[in-house]
Amino acid sequence: MPPRTRGGYTSDAPRRRPTGSERRRRVHLREVDPVPDPDPVEHPQHDRDETEEVFEGAPGGPIDRSILRSFHKHVAAKIWLGEDRAPLKLVNHGAKLQLWELDMERSRIYETVQRSGLAPLTSCSHRVASRPMLSAFCERWQPETTTFHMPFGEMTITLDDVASILHIPVTGSMISFPQPLRVDDANALLVELLGTTDVEASRETEQCRSPSVRLLWLRDHFSTITDASSDDDIMFATRAFLLHLVGCTLFADKSATSVAVVYLELFRDLSMVGSYAWGAACLAYLYRQLTTATRFEVRQLGGYLTLLQAWIYEHFPEMFSSPDMSYTESRPRALRWRPHVIPDSLQSVRERLDRLQISEVCWEPYVDHRAEHPLPDIAWYSGCLKCGQVVEPYHPERVLRQFGYIQTIPPRPFTPPRPDRSILLEQYWERWTDHVLTDQSRGRRCHYSGSGESVPEYMAWYDRISHRIVQPPQLRSGFTTDARSSLPSHAASTSDTRAARALTLLRLVISGGREQSVDVFWGALNEAHGILAGSDETSASHITPSPAPASHSTPSPATLPFFSPATFVYPPAASDDPPPLIVPPPPAPVAPPAASGPPPPLIVPPPPASVAPPAPTLDSTASTTVYVRAKRKKKT
């Protein structure tokens, strides 16, 4: 019999990774009956026990991997090690909604859409989305907690955000399907609920190569139906419009052109469309899209990006937002903002988020909105959200500051059950009032509204379990030549682009706080002046940086290199971080050498024509000089 080795397998068989039960058993035995080693030796790396690697810290954090177990697959882990990913391709159908509008000739369809609770989606969808901004926030999303891990704590999109930003229902029946839809079942559903023929349905699903239909196909076949059409045609067109609406908004998938036919089942009974919790389903679907986008190999982001982008505008208004001054609180908060593509690169936004401070966050953005839409009680629900086969956990206890409460150390996140256990999930959701956070779980309110307070031990715990900074300091670009080359050139830019570049630069230096020296602000103003002037003559490109000092002490003015955001105070520099860079002061004017002999003649400008010139008091040389200057000016 071949000899047995550690783990129960033979030496001839391939080495097998021990199971979880074996690892726990070995840890238990090691803790209960430790055997002292009389002659300790240094074991090689490959003899280390597997259990020591399960909760091993990752480079740059987390130190404790018991929460973020899959962080080694996260895009932030790759970025920390020097790999990079281009901005994600965004699936945004805001412009397509304008291709199918409901006018007075389609009032019957519009009335049904109004009763469904989905009418706000027809007007609040953003037509543009910012790739650098959304991609940078995706790098901070953690699937285990379904939250964004910021430098100062966790934040997430809550049911309160959905209700305020979109004005769609967040309570009601859970959106659930018994099983994934097959192509044959999709064809039958199209024939039954949209009135198409078998040939048309089969041709469309074959072209999509899935149980889906193209958004263009829905518009071509049903957008021409008006109130003058038959009742059946109006009913078919209403279902097609609602399917087109949710495919462009709540459930936008990464195909970018189609929508799953399975959602058509929700519109079978048009009188029941308003009974679904559309907001909760939208949030679960967006959570899953963000989770998928955290993998390094993924290059695309789906879901309702208007919700994500408006949430960023609401909570970070000083960094990204552009408000619409004509907005009124009776409308969805998504209409409060003018969506725009920020001129910054992904690297720039990434570094800005790494330097983000808690004072730059708007924790309670809906204070003025409460009169029209008060905080829904279901926002305190702690459990699972479901959308078809998608099940995601929802943890309001991890983001208490967004509700105006002092953040405490939250309990461990729970793993959601399998989607096939839909009956248990639906029963849990129907009794959501039994699963809201109690007053004891919520804790105490913040002493000041919007202060974002936390208990003293929270940040120490958060440092251990989180990845607060996405990029190490040695990989940050600062405001270097490479960073400048990624922006549009001065000569080819318009006035708006120049202004955006200058504002971006000024935001960088302002976010550093008052602890910076005056030289830093002078360098930023000098650089901004060169951008606005349309040339690089006033920029700091002519200043060559000197070698960095050995310590973090402020260097002398003679060795100061050009302006760089590396001088920002937050986050604090570690011992191995590069020393701060400070901008040099402007060169002092050099006085001309004193000439030997009599002083030069005094030049006096000519007086205005209406005033009589004073009597000359200068010598002949000075008078001649004044006369010549005045004569030249008159000729000019």
Side-chain angles (χ1 to χ4, degrees):
M1 177 180 296
R4 309 279 297 181
T5 60
R6 179 181 175 185
Y9 43 80
T10 64
S11 59
D12 296 337
R15 187 175 179 86
R16 177 178 61 84
R17 185 181 179 90
T19 62
S21 59
E22 291 174 347
R23 291 197 298 267
R24 288 191 295 270
R25 185 164 57 252
R26 290 206 301 270
V27 172
H28 177 72
L29 293 176
R30 189 179 297 109
E31 293 176 351
V32 174
D33 189 19
V35 179
D37 189 357
D39 187 14
V41 295
E42 184 177 356
H43 298 283
Q45 184 72 17
H46 64 271
D47 286 338
R48 290 180 59 190
D49 190 83
E50 297 283 345
T51 56
E52 299 177 2
E53 299 179 1
V54 174
F55 303 112
E56 188 180 40
I63 301 174
D64 182 0
R65 289 270 298 277
S66 61
I67 304 295
L68 307 183
R69 294 173 177 264
S70 64
F71 184 75
H72 61 284
K73 302 178 182 178
H74 201 281
V75 61
K78 303 291 185 181
I79 294 174
W80 188 270
L81 297 178
E83 301 183 48
D84 202 356
R85 184 176 71 174
L88 296 170
K89 180 182 178 182
L90 305 180
V91 180
N92 184 40
H93 300 300
K96 294 180 181 178
L97 290 174
Q98 310 300 322
L99 303 177
W100 192 354
E101 295 182 342
L102 300 179
D103 51 17
M104 296 300 296
E105 296 181 355
R106 298 165 180 82
S107 58
R108 295 178 61 183
I109 300 177
Y110 179 75
E111 291 173 359
T112 306
V113 175
Q114 282 286 97
R115 292 193 297 269
S116 69
L118 299 176
L121 301 178
T122 61
S123 60
C124 68
S125 297
H126 293 172
R127 300 189 62 178
V128 295
S130 177
R131 293 180 61 190
M133 181 180 68
L134 300 187
S135 300
F137 273 87
C138 282
E139 296 171 356
R140 295 186 168 273
W141 181 261
Q142 296 297 338
E144 288 83 359
T145 59
T146 57
T147 56
F148 298 102
H149 281 225
M150 310 303 290
F152 41 77
E154 298 178 55
M155 298 183 69
T156 195
I157 309 173
T158 66
L159 291 173
D160 178 36
D161 292 311
V162 178
S164 300
I165 293 174
L166 302 181
H167 283 193
I168 60 176
V170 294
T171 58
S173 301
M174 178 177 288
I175 293 180
S176 180
F177 309 113
Q179 59 186 0
L181 199 66
R182 298 179 303 176
V183 175
D184 295 340
D185 298 331
N187 294 336
L189 207 59
L190 291 173
V191 173
E192 179 185 3
L193 299 183
L194 293 186
T196 62
T197 63
D198 292 332
V199 176
E200 290 177 337
S202 300
R203 186 186 300 115
E204 182 60 24
T205 53
E206 286 177 3
Q207 184 166 350
C208 294
R209 299 181 181 179
S210 64
S212 305
V213 293
R214 291 172 299 152
L215 300 171
L216 177 61
W217 180 84
L218 291 172
R219 293 195 299 268
D220 290 343
H221 283 72
F222 300 97
S223 62
T224 58
I225 296 178
T226 64
D227 292 344
S229 305
S230 64
D231 293 343
D232 290 341
D233 289 342
I234 293 177
M235 181 176 58
F236 295 150
T238 303
R239 291 171 178 157
F241 180 86
L242 292 172
L243 181 62
H244 181 272
L245 181 61
V246 299
C248 289
T249 55
L250 306 183
F251 311 130
D253 57 29
K254 290 190 287 188
S255 69
T257 57
S258 60
V259 56
V261 180
V262 69
Y263 299 115
L264 192 58
E265 185 67 40
L266 303 173
F267 310 125
R268 177 182 293 274
D269 187 354
L270 293 175
S271 63
M272 297 296 295
V273 177
S275 64
Y276 292 109
W278 294 104
C282 170
L283 191 57
Y285 191 85
L286 182 59
Y287 279 3
R288 178 60 57 87
Q289 294 296 319
L290 288 169
T291 296
T292 305
T294 60
R295 296 297 175 255
F296 183 76
E297 63 276 3
V298 176
R299 297 293 184 268
Q300 204 170 8
L301 175 64
Y304 196 18
L305 300 186
T306 294
L307 173 60
L308 175 58
Q309 185 165 255
W311 179 85
I312 296 174
Y313 290 160
E314 291 285 354
H315 291 276
F316 308 94
E318 297 182 2
M319 295 183 63
F320 305 108
S321 63
S322 177
D324 185 354
M325 304 308 296
S326 63
Y327 170 80
T328 58
E329 294 296 341
S330 60
R331 298 187 296 167
R333 293 284 287 203
L335 297 174
R336 184 189 178 198
W337 310 103
R338 293 179 177 176
H340 62 286
V341 178
I342 60 175
D344 301 354
S345 63
L346 173 58
Q347 176 67 19
S348 175
V349 180
R350 185 184 294 156
E351 294 180 8
R352 290 170 63 187
L353 292 181
D354 279 345
R355 294 188 299 267
L356 191 66
Q357 302 186 33
I358 194 172
S359 59
E360 300 178 74
V361 180
C362 181
W363 293 100
E364 300 177 72
Y366 312 119
V367 175
D368 297 336
H369 202 61
R370 294 305 184 199
E372 297 287 340
H373 290 271
L375 174 69
D377 294 336
I378 200 172
W380 292 106
Y381 161 79
S382 180
C384 287
L385 305 176
K386 191 173 187 294
C387 176
Q389 299 297 311
V390 175
V391 179
E392 292 291 335
Y394 177 74
H395 298 119
E397 63 273 10
R398 308 190 73 89
V399 292
L400 293 176
R401 289 181 287 191
Q402 293 182 221
F403 296 94
Y405 286 77
I406 299 176
Q407 183 61 56
T408 58
I409 297 178
R412 293 177 61 88
F414 54 88
T415 303
R418 299 189 307 269
D420 54 5
R421 305 181 65 181
S422 58
I423 297 179
L424 296 178
L425 289 173
E426 291 176 6
Q427 293 176 352
Y428 194 91
W429 174 259
E430 290 174 357
R431 298 194 300 269
W432 64 264
T433 53
D434 299 334
H435 307 289
V436 296
L437 296 184
T438 61
D439 293 339
Q440 183 179 1
S441 300
R442 303 177 192 182
R444 296 178 291 113
R445 293 195 64 89
C446 294
H447 296 87
Y448 303 98
S449 177
S451 59
E453 302 173 54
S454 60
V455 294
E457 61 272 15
Y458 174 78
M459 285 307 300
W461 166 84
Y462 184 67
D463 281 335
R464 294 196 311 271
I465 64 98
S466 179
H467 186 77
R468 297 172 56 243
I469 308 301
V470 171
Q471 197 167 44
Q474 61 270 20
L475 295 182
R476 294 176 189 164
S477 65
F479 200 71
T480 61
T481 304
D482 296 336
R484 290 192 186 96
S485 62
S486 64
L487 298 175
S489 62
H490 290 182
S493 61
T494 62
S495 59
D496 291 341
T497 304
R498 292 174 185 170
R501 286 166 50 87
L503 289 175
T504 300
L505 174 60
L506 295 177
R507 282 198 302 266
L508 287 174
V509 69
I510 291 173
S511 64
R514 298 184 178 181
E515 292 81 3
Q516 301 173 107
S517 66
V518 177
D519 300 332
V520 176
F521 291 97
W522 178 89
L525 292 175
N526 187 35
E527 190 75 21
H529 178 270
I531 293 174
L532 294 175
S535 65
D536 289 331
E537 296 177 358
T538 58
S539 67
S541 58
H542 63 280
I543 304 176
T544 56
S546 59
S551 64
H552 287 271
S553 60
T554 304
S556 62
T559 61
L560 291 175
F562 61 84
F563 163 73
S564 169
T567 58
F568 293 153
V569 176
Y570 188 85
S575 59
D576 55 347
D577 291 343
L581 303 178
I582 312 296
V583 71
V590 180
S596 60
L602 179 63
I603 308 300
V604 179
S610 59
V611 180
T617 58
L618 303 176
D619 56 15
S620 59
T621 304
S623 301
T624 304
T625 304
V626 172
Y627 174 78
V628 172
R629 295 278 179 143
K631 187 175 182 179
R632 288 179 181 175
K633 183 175 182 183
K634 184 177 181 180
K635 289 182 178 181
T636 303

